[in-house]
Coordinates of all heavy atoms in Angstrom, one line a residue:
M750 N -6.7 13.4 -32.9 CA -5.3 13.2 -33.3 C -4.7 14.4 -34.0 O -3.5 14.8 -33.7 CB -5.2 11.9 -34.0 CG -3.7 11.5 -34.4 SD -2.9 11.0 -32.9 CE -1.8 9.9 -33.5
R751 N -5.5 14.9 -34.9 CA -4.9 16.3 -35.6 C -4.7 17.3 -34.7 O -3.6 18.0 -34.7 CB -6.0 16.6 -36.5 CG -6.1 15.8 -37.8 CD -7.0 16.3 -38.8 NE -7.1 15.4 -39.8 CZ -8.2 15.2 -40.6 NH1 -9.2 16.1 -40.6 NH2 -8.2 14.3 -41.6
A752 N -5.5 17.5 -33.6 CA -5.2 18.4 -32.6 C -4.0 18.3 -31.8 O -3.0 19.2 -31.6 CB -6.4 18.6 -31.6
F753 N -3.6 17.0 -31.5 CA -2.5 16.7 -30.8 C -1.3 16.9 -31.7 O -0.3 17.6 -31.3 CB -2.4 15.1 -30.4 CG -1.1 14.7 -29.9 CD1 -0.6 14.9 -28.8 CD2 -0.4 13.7 -30.9 CE1 0.6 14.6 -28.4 CE2 0.9 13.4 -30.3 CZ 1.4 13.8 -29.2
L754 N -1.3 16.4 -32.9 CA -0.2 16.7 -33.8 C 0.2 18.1 -34.1 O 1.3 18.5 -34.1 CB -0.4 16.0 -35.2 CG -0.3 14.4 -35.0 CD1 -0.9 13.8 -36.4 CD2 1.0 14.0 -34.6
A755 N -1.0 19.0 -34.2 CA -0.8 20.4 -34.4 C -0.1 20.9 -33.2 O 0.9 21.8 -33.3 CB -2.0 21.0 -34.8
W756 N -0.6 20.6 -32.0 CA -0.1 21.1 -30.7 C 1.5 20.7 -30.7 O 2.3 21.5 -30.3 CB -0.9 20.6 -29.6 CG -0.2 20.9 -28.3 CD1 -0.3 22.1 -27.5 CD2 0.6 20.0 -27.5 NE1 0.5 22.0 -26.4 CE2 1.0 20.9 -26.3 CE3 1.0 18.8 -27.6 CZ2 1.8 20.2 -25.3 CZ3 1.8 18.2 -26.7 CH2 2.1 18.9 -25.5
F757 N 1.7 19.4 -30.9 CA 3.1 18.9 -30.7 C 4.0 19.4 -31.7 O 5.2 19.7 -31.3 CB 3.1 17.4 -30.9 CG 4.3 16.7 -30.5 CD1 4.8 16.6 -29.2 CD2 5.3 16.2 -31.6 CE1 5.9 16.0 -28.9 CE2 6.5 15.7 -31.1 CZ 6.8 15.6 -29.7
A758 N 3.7 20.0 -32.7 CA 4.6 20.5 -33.8 C 4.8 21.9 -33.5 O 6.1 22.4 -33.9 CB 3.9 20.4 -35.2
G759 N 4.1 22.7 -32.8 CA 4.4 24.0 -32.6 C 4.4 24.4 -31.0 O 4.3 23.5 -30.2
G760 N 4.5 25.5 -30.8 CA 4.4 26.1 -29.4 C 5.8 26.4 -28.8 O 6.8 25.8 -29.1
D761 N 5.7 27.3 -27.8 CA 6.9 27.7 -27.1 C 6.8 27.4 -25.6 O 7.5 28.0 -24.8 CB 7.0 29.2 -27.2 CG 7.4 29.5 -28.7 OD1 8.1 28.6 -29.4 OD2 7.1 30.6 -29.1
D762 N 6.0 26.3 -25.2 CA 5.8 25.9 -23.9 C 7.2 25.5 -23.3 O 8.2 25.2 -23.9 CB 4.8 24.9 -23.6 CG 3.4 25.3 -24.2 OD1 3.2 26.5 -24.4 OD2 2.8 24.4 -24.7
D763 N 7.2 25.3 -22.0 CA 8.3 24.6 -21.4 C 8.5 23.2 -22.0 O 7.5 22.4 -21.8 CB 8.1 24.5 -19.8 CG 9.2 23.9 -19.1 OD1 9.9 22.9 -19.7 OD2 9.5 24.2 -18.0
L764 N 9.5 22.9 -22.7 CA 9.6 21.8 -23.4 C 9.7 20.3 -22.6 O 9.3 19.4 -23.0 CB 10.9 21.7 -24.4 CG 10.6 22.9 -25.3 CD1 12.0 23.0 -26.2 CD2 9.6 22.6 -26.4
V765 N 10.2 20.5 -21.3 CA 10.1 19.3 -20.4 C 8.7 19.1 -20.1 O 8.3 17.9 -20.2 CB 11.0 19.5 -19.3 CG1 10.9 18.3 -18.3 CG2 12.5 19.7 -19.7
I766 N 8.0 20.0 -19.8 CA 6.5 19.9 -19.3 C 5.7 19.4 -20.6 O 5.0 18.4 -20.4 CB 5.8 21.1 -18.8 CG1 6.6 21.6 -17.5 CG2 4.4 21.0 -18.6 CD1 6.5 20.7 -16.4
R767 N 6.1 20.0 -21.7 CA 5.6 19.6 -23.1 C 5.6 18.0 -23.3 O 4.8 17.4 -23.9 CB 6.1 20.5 -24.1 CG 5.5 20.2 -25.4 CD 6.2 21.4 -26.4 NE 5.5 21.4 -27.7 CZ 4.3 22.0 -27.7 NH1 3.6 22.6 -26.7 NH2 3.8 22.0 -29.0
A768 N 6.9 17.6 -22.9 CA 7.2 16.2 -23.1 C 6.2 15.3 -22.3 O 5.7 14.3 -22.9 CB 8.6 15.9 -22.8
G769 N 6.1 15.6 -21.1 CA 5.1 14.8 -20.3 C 3.6 14.9 -20.7 O 3.0 13.9 -20.7
I770 N 3.2 16.1 -21.2 CA 1.9 16.3 -21.6 C 1.8 15.4 -23.0 O 0.7 14.9 -23.1 CB 1.6 17.8 -21.8 CG1 1.5 18.5 -20.5 CG2 0.3 18.0 -22.6 CD1 1.4 20.0 -20.6
A771 N 2.7 15.7 -23.8 CA 2.7 15.0 -25.1 C 2.4 13.4 -24.9 O 1.7 12.9 -25.5 CB 3.9 15.1 -26.0
R772 N 3.2 12.9 -24.0 CA 3.1 11.3 -23.7 C 1.6 11.1 -23.2 O 1.0 10.1 -23.7 CB 4.2 10.9 -22.7 CG 3.8 9.6 -22.1 CD 5.1 8.8 -22.4 NE 4.8 7.4 -22.1 CZ 4.9 6.8 -21.0 NH1 5.4 7.4 -19.9 NH2 4.6 5.5 -20.7
L773 N 1.2 11.8 -22.1 CA -0.1 11.5 -21.6 C -1.3 11.6 -22.6 O -2.2 10.9 -22.7 CB -0.4 12.4 -20.3 CG 0.4 12.0 -19.1 CD1 0.3 13.0 -18.0 CD2 0.2 10.6 -18.6
W774 N -1.1 12.8 -23.3 CA -2.1 13.1 -24.4 C -2.3 12.0 -25.4 O -3.1 11.5 -25.8 CB -1.9 14.4 -25.0 CG -2.9 15.0 -26.0 CD1 -4.1 14.5 -26.2 CD2 -3.1 16.3 -26.3 NE1 -5.0 15.2 -26.9 CE2 -4.3 16.4 -27.1 CE3 -2.2 17.3 -26.4 CZ2 -4.7 17.5 -27.9 CZ3 -2.7 18.5 -27.1 CH2 -3.7 18.5 -27.8
F775 N -0.9 11.6 -26.0 CA -1.1 10.5 -26.9 C -1.6 9.2 -26.3 O -2.4 8.6 -27.0 CB 0.4 10.2 -27.5 CG 0.4 9.1 -28.4 CD1 0.1 9.4 -29.7 CD2 0.8 7.9 -28.1 CE1 0.1 8.4 -30.7 CE2 0.8 7.0 -29.1 CZ 0.6 7.1 -30.4
V776 N -1.2 8.8 -25.2 CA -1.8 7.6 -24.5 C -3.3 7.7 -24.4 O -4.0 6.6 -24.6 CB -1.0 7.3 -23.4 CG1 -1.5 6.1 -22.6 CG2 0.5 6.9 -23.6
T777 N -3.8 8.9 -24.0 CA -5.2 8.9 -23.9 C -6.1 8.8 -25.1 O -7.1 8.5 -25.2 CB -5.7 10.2 -23.1 OG1 -5.1 11.3 -23.7 CG2 -5.0 10.2 -21.6
I778 N -5.3 9.3 -26.3 CA -5.9 9.3 -27.5 C -6.0 7.8 -27.9 O -7.1 7.3 -28.5 CB -5.1 9.9 -28.6 CG1 -5.1 11.5 -28.5 CG2 -5.6 9.7 -30.1 CD1 -4.2 12.3 -29.2
N779 N -5.1 6.9 -27.5 CA -5.0 5.5 -27.8 C -5.5 5.2 -29.2 O -6.4 4.4 -29.5 CB -6.1 4.9 -26.8 CG -5.9 3.4 -26.5 OD1 -4.8 2.9 -26.7 ND2 -7.0 2.7 -26.3
P780 N -4.6 5.7 -30.2 CA -4.9 5.5 -31.5 C -4.7 4.0 -32.2 O -5.4 3.6 -33.1 CB -4.1 6.4 -32.3 CG -2.8 6.6 -31.4 CD -3.5 6.4 -30.0
F781 N -4.0 3.2 -31.5 CA -3.7 2.0 -31.9 C -4.2 0.8 -31.0 O -4.2 1.1 -29.7 CB -2.3 1.7 -32.1 CG -1.5 2.8 -33.1 CD1 -0.7 3.8 -32.5 CD2 -1.9 2.8 -34.4 CE1 -0.2 4.8 -33.4 CE2 -1.4 3.9 -35.1 CZ -0.6 4.8 -34.6
E782 N -4.5 -0.4 -31.4 CA -4.8 -1.4 -30.5 C -3.8 -1.8 -29.7 O -3.9 -2.3 -28.5 CB -5.3 -2.6 -31.3 CG -5.9 -3.7 -30.6 CD -6.6 -4.8 -31.4 OE1 -7.1 -4.4 -32.4 OE2 -6.3 -6.0 -31.1
D783 N -2.5 -1.7 -30.1 CA -1.3 -2.0 -29.3 C -0.2 -1.0 -29.6 O -0.3 -0.3 -30.6 CB -0.8 -3.5 -29.7 CG 0.2 -3.9 -28.7 OD1 0.3 -3.3 -27.6 OD2 0.9 -5.0 -29.1
W784 N 0.9 -1.0 -28.9 CA 2.0 -0.1 -29.1 C 1.8 1.4 -28.7 O 2.6 2.2 -28.8 CB 2.4 -0.1 -30.5 CG 2.8 -1.6 -31.1 CD1 2.2 -2.5 -31.5 CD2 4.2 -1.9 -31.2 NE1 2.9 -3.6 -31.8 CE2 4.2 -3.2 -31.6 CE3 5.4 -1.4 -30.9 CZ2 5.2 -4.1 -32.0 CZ3 6.5 -2.1 -31.4 CH2 6.5 -3.4 -31.7
N785 N 0.7 1.8 -28.1 CA 0.6 3.0 -27.6 C 1.5 3.7 -26.6 O 2.0 4.6 -26.8 CB -0.9 3.2 -27.0 CG -1.9 3.1 -28.2 OD1 -1.9 3.8 -29.2 ND2 -2.9 2.2 -28.0
G786 N 1.9 2.5 -25.6 CA 2.7 3.0 -24.6 C 4.1 3.1 -25.2 O 4.9 4.1 -24.9
R787 N 4.5 2.2 -26.2 CA 5.9 2.4 -26.7 C 6.0 3.6 -27.6 O 7.1 4.4 -27.5 CB 6.2 1.2 -27.6 CG 6.3 -0.2 -26.7 CD 6.7 -1.2 -27.6 NE 6.7 -2.5 -26.8 CZ 6.0 -3.6 -27.0 NH1 5.3 -3.6 -28.0 NH2 6.1 -4.6 -26.4
I788 N 5.1 3.9 -28.4 CA 5.1 5.1 -29.2 C 5.0 6.3 -28.3 O 5.6 7.4 -28.5 CB 3.9 5.1 -30.2 CG1 4.2 3.9 -31.3 CG2 3.9 6.5 -31.0 CD1 3.0 3.7 -32.2
G789 N 4.3 6.4 -27.3 CA 4.2 7.4 -26.3 C 5.4 7.7 -25.7 O 5.9 8.8 -25.4
R790 N 6.2 6.5 -25.4 CA 7.6 6.9 -24.8 C 8.4 7.4 -25.8 O 9.3 8.2 -25.4 CB 8.1 5.5 -24.2 CG 7.4 5.0 -23.0 CD 8.2 3.8 -22.4 NE 8.2 2.6 -23.1 CZ 7.1 1.7 -23.1 NH1 6.1 2.0 -22.4 NH2 7.1 0.7 -23.8
A791 N 8.4 6.9 -27.0 CA 9.1 7.5 -28.1 C 8.9 9.1 -28.4 O 9.8 9.8 -28.5 CB 9.1 6.8 -29.4
I792 N 7.6 9.4 -28.3 CA 7.2 10.8 -28.3 C 7.8 11.6 -27.3 O 8.4 12.8 -27.4 CB 5.8 10.9 -28.5 CG1 5.2 10.4 -29.9 CG2 5.3 12.3 -28.3 CD1 3.6 10.2 -29.8
C793 N 7.8 11.1 -26.0 CA 8.4 11.8 -24.8 C 9.8 11.9 -25.0 O 10.3 13.0 -24.8 CB 8.0 10.9 -23.6 SG 8.6 11.7 -22.2
D794 N 10.5 10.9 -25.4 CA 12.0 10.9 -25.7 C 12.3 12.0 -26.8 O 13.2 12.8 -26.6 CB 12.6 9.6 -26.1 CG 12.6 8.6 -25.0 OD1 12.5 9.1 -23.8 OD2 12.7 7.5 -25.2
M795 N 11.6 12.0 -27.9 CA 11.7 13.0 -28.9 C 11.5 14.4 -28.4 O 12.3 15.4 -28.7 CB 10.8 12.8 -30.0 CG 11.0 13.6 -31.3 SD 10.1 13.1 -32.7 CE 8.7 14.1 -32.5
A796 N 10.4 14.6 -27.6 CA 10.2 16.0 -27.1 C 11.3 16.4 -26.1 O 11.7 17.6 -26.1 CB 9.0 16.1 -26.4
L797 N 11.9 15.5 -25.3 CA 13.1 15.9 -24.4 C 14.2 16.1 -25.3 O 15.0 17.1 -24.9 CB 13.3 14.6 -23.5 CG 12.2 14.5 -22.3 CD1 12.5 13.1 -21.6 CD2 12.2 15.6 -21.4
A798 N 14.4 15.4 -26.3 CA 15.6 15.7 -27.2 C 15.5 17.1 -27.7 O 16.4 17.8 -27.8 CB 15.8 14.7 -28.2
R799 N 14.2 17.4 -28.2 CA 13.9 18.8 -28.6 C 14.4 19.8 -27.6 O 14.7 21.0 -28.0 CB 12.6 18.9 -29.1 CG 12.2 18.3 -30.4 CD 10.8 18.6 -30.8 NE 10.3 17.9 -32.0 CZ 9.2 18.1 -32.4 NH1 8.2 18.6 -31.9 NH2 8.8 17.4 -33.6
A800 N 13.9 19.5 -26.5 CA 14.2 20.5 -25.3 C 15.6 20.9 -25.2 O 16.0 21.9 -24.8 CB 13.7 20.0 -24.0
D801 N 16.7 19.8 -25.6 CA 18.0 20.2 -25.6 C 18.5 20.7 -26.9 O 19.7 20.9 -27.0 CB 18.7 18.9 -25.1 CG 18.8 18.8 -23.6 OD1 18.5 19.7 -22.9 OD2 19.1 17.6 -23.2
G802 N 17.6 20.8 -27.7 CA 18.1 21.3 -29.2 C 18.8 20.1 -30.0 O 19.6 20.5 -31.0
M803 N 18.7 18.9 -29.6 CA 19.4 17.8 -30.2 C 18.3 17.1 -31.1 O 17.2 16.9 -30.9 CB 19.9 16.8 -29.3 CG 20.8 17.5 -28.2 SD 22.4 17.7 -28.9 CE 23.4 18.0 -27.5
K804 N 18.9 16.6 -32.3 CA 18.1 15.8 -33.3 C 18.2 14.5 -33.0 O 17.2 13.6 -33.2 CB 18.5 16.2 -34.8 CG 18.1 17.5 -35.2 CD 18.2 17.5 -36.6 CE 17.6 18.9 -37.4 NZ 18.0 18.9 -38.8
D805 N 19.4 14.0 -32.5 CA 19.6 12.6 -32.5 C 19.8 12.0 -31.0 O 20.2 11.0 -30.8 CB 21.0 12.2 -33.3 CG 20.7 12.5 -34.8 OD1 19.5 12.4 -35.3 OD2 21.6 12.9 -35.4
L806 N 19.6 12.8 -30.0 CA 19.8 12.4 -28.7 C 18.5 11.9 -28.1 O 17.3 12.5 -28.3 CB 20.0 13.7 -27.8 CG 20.4 13.3 -26.3 CD1 21.5 12.4 -26.1 CD2 20.7 14.6 -25.6
F807 N 18.6 10.6 -27.6 CA 17.3 9.9 -27.0 C 17.6 9.7 -25.6 O 18.6 9.4 -25.2 CB 17.0 8.6 -27.8 CG 16.6 8.9 -29.2 CD1 17.6 8.8 -30.3 CD2 15.3 9.2 -29.5 CE1 17.2 9.0 -31.6 CE2 15.0 9.3 -30.8 CZ 15.9 9.3 -31.8
Y808 N 16.6 9.8 -24.9 CA 16.5 9.8 -23.4 C 16.0 8.4 -22.9 O 15.1 7.9 -23.6 CB 15.7 11.0 -22.7 CG 16.5 12.3 -22.8 CD1 16.4 13.0 -23.9 CD2 17.3 12.8 -21.7 CE1 17.1 14.3 -24.1 CE2 17.9 13.9 -21.8 CZ 17.8 14.7 -23.0 OH 18.4 15.8 -23.1
G809 N 16.4 7.9 -21.7 CA 15.6 6.9 -21.2 C 14.8 7.4 -20.0 O 14.4 6.5 -19.3
L810 N 14.5 8.6 -19.9 CA 13.6 9.2 -19.0 C 12.3 8.6 -18.9 O 11.6 8.5 -18.0 CB 13.6 10.7 -19.0 CG 12.8 11.3 -17.9 CD1 13.5 11.1 -16.6 CD2 12.9 12.9 -18.1
S811 N 11.8 8.3 -20.2 CA 10.5 7.7 -20.3 C 10.3 6.3 -19.5 O 9.2 6.1 -19.1 CB 10.1 7.6 -21.8 OG 11.0 6.6 -22.4
V812 N 11.4 5.7 -19.4 CA 11.3 4.4 -18.5 C 11.2 4.7 -17.2 O 10.3 4.2 -16.5 CB 12.7 3.7 -18.8 CG1 12.7 2.4 -17.8 CG2 12.7 3.2 -20.2
I813 N 11.7 5.8 -16.6 CA 11.6 6.2 -15.4 C 10.1 6.7 -15.1 O 9.6 6.6 -14.2 CB 12.6 7.5 -14.9 CG1 14.0 6.8 -14.9 CG2 12.3 8.0 -13.5 CD1 15.1 7.9 -14.9
L814 N 9.6 7.5 -16.0 CA 8.3 8.0 -16.0 C 7.3 6.7 -15.9 O 6.3 6.8 -15.2 CB 7.9 8.8 -17.2 CG 8.6 10.2 -17.3 CD1 8.2 10.9 -18.5 CD2 8.1 11.0 -16.1
D815 N 7.6 5.7 -16.7 CA 6.8 4.5 -16.5 C 6.8 3.9 -15.2 O 5.7 3.5 -14.6 CB 7.3 3.4 -17.5 CG 6.9 3.6 -18.9 OD1 6.0 4.4 -19.2 OD2 7.4 2.9 -19.8
I816 N 7.9 3.8 -14.5 CA 8.0 3.3 -13.2 C 7.1 4.2 -12.2 O 6.3 3.8 -11.4 CB 9.4 3.2 -12.6 CG1 10.1 2.1 -13.4 CG2 9.5 3.0 -11.1 CD1 11.5 2.2 -13.3
F817 N 7.3 5.5 -12.3 CA 6.5 6.4 -11.5 C 5.0 6.3 -11.9 O 4.2 6.2 -10.9 CB 6.8 7.9 -12.0 CG 5.9 8.9 -11.5 CD1 5.9 9.3 -10.1 CD2 5.0 9.6 -12.3 CE1 5.1 10.3 -9.6 CE2 4.1 10.6 -11.7 CZ 4.2 10.9 -10.3
F818 N 4.5 6.2 -13.0 CA 3.1 5.9 -13.3 C 2.6 4.7 -12.8 O 1.5 4.5 -12.4 CB 2.8 6.1 -14.9 CG 2.8 7.5 -15.3 CD1 3.7 8.1 -16.3 CD2 1.9 8.4 -14.7 CE1 3.8 9.3 -16.6 CE2 2.0 9.8 -15.2 CZ 2.9 10.2 -16.1
I819 N 3.4 3.6 -12.8 CA 3.0 2.3 -12.3 C 2.8 2.5 -10.9 O 1.7 2.0 -10.3 CB 4.0 1.3 -12.6 CG1 3.9 0.9 -14.1 CG2 3.8 0.0 -11.7 CD1 5.1 0.0 -14.6
K820 N 3.6 3.2 -10.2 CA 3.5 3.3 -8.7 C 2.2 4.3 -8.4 O 1.4 4.0 -7.5 CB 4.7 4.0 -8.1 CG 5.9 3.0 -8.0 CD 7.1 3.8 -7.4 CE 8.4 2.9 -7.3 NZ 9.4 3.5 -6.8
L821 N 2.1 5.3 -9.3 CA 0.9 6.1 -9.0 C -0.3 5.4 -9.3 O -1.4 5.5 -8.6 CB 1.1 7.3 -10.1 CG -0.2 8.3 -10.2 CD1 -0.2 9.0 -8.9 CD2 -0.1 9.2 -11.3
F822 N -0.5 4.7 -10.4 CA -1.7 3.8 -10.7 C -1.9 2.8 -9.6 O -3.1 2.5 -9.2 CB -1.8 3.3 -12.0 CG -1.9 4.2 -13.1 CD1 -0.9 4.3 -14.2 CD2 -2.8 5.3 -13.1 CE1 -1.1 5.2 -15.2 CE2 -2.9 6.2 -14.1 CZ -2.0 6.3 -15.1
N823 N -0.9 2.2 -9.1 CA -1.1 1.2 -8.0 C -1.7 2.0 -6.8 O -2.6 1.4 -6.0 CB 0.2 0.5 -7.7 CG 0.5 -0.6 -8.8 OD1 -0.3 -1.1 -9.5 ND2 1.6 -0.9 -8.9
G824 N -1.2 3.1 -6.5 CA -1.7 3.9 -5.3 C -3.1 4.3 -5.5 O -3.9 4.2 -4.7
L825 N -3.4 4.7 -6.8 CA -4.8 5.1 -7.0 C -5.8 3.8 -6.9 O -6.9 4.0 -6.4 CB -4.9 5.8 -8.4 CG -4.4 7.2 -8.6 CD1 -4.4 7.5 -10.0 CD2 -5.1 8.1 -7.8
K826 N -5.3 2.9 -7.4 CA -6.1 1.6 -7.3 C -6.4 1.2 -5.9 O -7.5 0.9 -5.6 CB -5.4 0.5 -8.0 CG -6.4 -0.8 -8.3 CD -5.6 -1.9 -9.0 CE -4.2 -1.9 -9.5 NZ -3.6 -3.0 -10.0
C827 N -5.4 1.4 -5.0 CA -5.6 1.0 -3.6 C -6.5 2.1 -2.9 O -7.4 1.7 -2.2 CB -4.3 1.1 -2.9 SG -4.3 0.7 -1.1
V828 N -6.5 3.3 -3.3 CA -7.3 4.4 -2.8 C -8.8 4.1 -3.2 O -9.8 4.1 -2.4 CB -6.9 5.8 -3.2 CG1 -7.9 6.8 -3.0 CG2 -5.6 6.2 -2.5
L829 N -8.9 3.7 -4.5 CA -10.3 3.4 -5.0 C -10.9 2.3 -4.4 O -12.1 2.3 -4.1 CB -10.2 3.4 -6.5 CG -10.1 4.7 -7.3 CD1 -9.9 4.4 -8.9 CD2 -11.2 5.7 -7.0
K830 N -10.1 1.2 -4.2 CA -10.6 0.0 -3.6 C -11.0 0.3 -2.2 O -12.2 0.0 -1.8 CB -9.5 -1.0 -3.6 CG -9.9 -2.3 -2.9 CD -8.8 -3.3 -2.9 CE -9.1 -4.6 -2.1 NZ -8.1 -5.5 -2.0
N831 N -10.3 1.1 -1.4 CA -10.7 1.4 0.0 C -11.9 2.3 0.0 O -12.8 2.2 0.8 CB -9.5 2.1 0.7 CG -8.5 1.2 1.0 OD1 -8.7 0.0 1.2 ND2 -7.2 1.6 1.2
F832 N -12.0 3.3 -1.0 CA -13.2 4.0 -1.1 C -14.5 3.4 -1.3 O -15.5 3.5 -0.6 CB -13.0 5.2 -2.1 CG -14.3 6.0 -2.5 CD1 -14.7 6.9 -1.6 CD2 -15.0 5.5 -3.6 CE1 -15.9 7.7 -2.0 CE2 -16.2 6.3 -3.9 CZ -16.6 7.4 -3.1
F833 N -14.2 2.4 -2.3 CA -15.6 1.7 -2.6 C -15.9 0.7 -1.5 O -17.0 0.5 -1.3 CB -15.3 0.8 -3.9 CG -15.4 1.7 -5.1 CD1 -14.4 1.8 -6.0 CD2 -16.7 2.4 -5.4 CE1 -14.6 2.7 -7.0 CE2 -16.8 3.1 -6.5 CZ -15.7 3.3 -7.3
L834 N -14.9 0.1 -0.9 CA -15.2 -0.8 0.3 C -16.0 0.0 1.4 O -17.0 -0.4 2.0 CB -14.0 -1.3 0.9 CG -13.3 -2.5 0.1 CD1 -12.0 -3.0 0.7 CD2 -14.3 -3.7 0.0
H835 N -15.5 1.3 1.7 CA -16.2 2.2 2.7 C -17.6 2.4 2.2 O -18.4 2.5 3.0 CB -15.3 3.2 3.1 CG -14.1 2.9 3.9 ND1 -14.1 2.4 5.2 CD2 -12.7 3.0 3.6 CE1 -13.0 2.3 5.6 NE2 -12.2 2.6 4.7
F836 N -17.6 2.9 1.0 CA -19.0 3.3 0.5 C -20.0 2.1 0.5 O -21.0 2.3 0.9 CB -18.6 3.8 -1.1 CG -20.1 4.0 -1.7 CD1 -20.8 5.1 -1.5 CD2 -20.6 3.1 -2.6 CE1 -22.0 5.5 -2.1 CE2 -21.7 3.2 -3.1 CZ -22.6 4.5 -3.0
L837 N -19.5 0.9 0.1 CA -20.4 -0.3 0.0 C -20.8 -0.6 1.4 O -22.0 -1.0 1.7 CB -19.8 -1.3 -0.6 CG -19.7 -1.1 -2.2 CD1 -19.1 -2.2 -2.9 CD2 -21.2 -0.9 -3.0
S838 N -19.8 -0.6 2.5 CA -20.3 -0.9 3.7 C -21.3 0.0 4.4 O -22.1 -0.3 5.0 CB -19.0 -1.0 4.7 OG -18.3 0.1 4.8
G839 N -21.1 1.4 4.1 CA -22.0 2.3 4.4 C -23.3 2.2 3.9 O -24.4 2.3 4.3
F840 N -23.4 1.9 2.5 CA -24.5 1.7 1.7 C -25.3 0.4 2.2 O -26.4 0.6 2.3 CB -24.1 1.6 0.2 CG -25.3 1.4 -0.7 CD1 -26.0 2.4 -1.1 CD2 -25.5 0.1 -1.2 CE1 -27.0 2.3 -2.0 CE2 -26.6 -0.1 -2.0 CZ -27.4 1.0 -2.4
A841 N -24.6 -0.6 2.5 CA -25.3 -1.7 2.8 C -25.8 -1.6 4.3 O -26.8 -2.2 4.7 CB -24.3 -3.0 2.8
G842 N -25.1 -0.8 5.2 CA -25.6 -0.5 6.5 C -26.9 0.3 6.6 O -27.5 0.3 7.5
D843 N -27.3 1.1 5.5 CA -28.4 1.8 5.5 C -29.6 0.9 5.2 O -30.7 1.3 5.4 CB -28.3 2.9 4.2 CG -27.3 3.9 4.7 OD1 -27.0 4.1 5.8 OD2 -26.9 4.6 3.7
F844 N -29.4 -0.3 4.9 CA -30.6 -1.1 4.6 C -30.8 -2.1 5.6 O -30.5 -2.8 6.3 CB -30.4 -1.9 3.1 CG -30.5 -1.0 2.0 CD1 -29.4 -0.6 1.5 CD2 -31.8 -0.7 1.6 CE1 -29.5 0.2 0.3 CE2 -31.9 0.3 0.4 CZ -30.7 0.6 -0.1

């Protein structure tokens, strides 16, 4: 968490890319039992506001990112399910 906070506080990276990385990094740290998604969205919105040089501007882009990630994870789940089904049928066929 300290590494994340130090990275988030500084740097001259592309701030829009930085917003996405910050959200994903925070969620993977998973510091809380609950609320990680909400805090991650707030971090993303804060980083996007910084990208525009505004202190009080908040974006709803994180909601759009949530929809994207839900679709992405559903697609990955489908791919993994098909992979395992093919793997297991091949594996079972070897016996």
Side-chain angles (χ1 to χ4, degrees):
M750 185 67 153
R751 287 183 185 159
F753 167 74
L754 292 174
W756 171 82
F757 189 71
D761 294 327
D762 303 336
D763 181 322
L764 295 176
V765 174
I766 300 297
R767 187 177 191 74
I770 292 170
R772 169 125 192 265
L773 288 174
W774 191 352
F775 179 80
V776 172
T777 58
I778 293 171
N779 199 27
F781 306 110
E782 188 173 319
D783 196 10
W784 296 78
N785 292 304
R787 291 181 186 127
I788 294 171
R790 285 189 294 276
I792 289 169
C793 181
D794 286 343
M795 186 171 91
L797 289 171
R799 282 184 184 175
D801 276 346
M803 305 276 192
K804 285 186 174 182
D805 299 327
L806 182 62
F807 294 96
Y808 289 82
L810 185 61
S811 60
V812 174
I813 295 169
L814 291 174
D815 279 347
I816 293 168
F817 169 75
F818 284 118
I819 288 169
K820 289 180 180 179
L821 176 67
F822 288 131
N823 284 338
L825 286 174
K826 194 178 356 176
C827 185
V828 167
L829 286 175
K830 180 182 176 184
N831 287 335
F832 170 78
F833 284 116
L834 287 174
H835 289 295
F836 171 78
L837 290 174
S838 66
F840 180 78
D843 289 341
F844 288 101

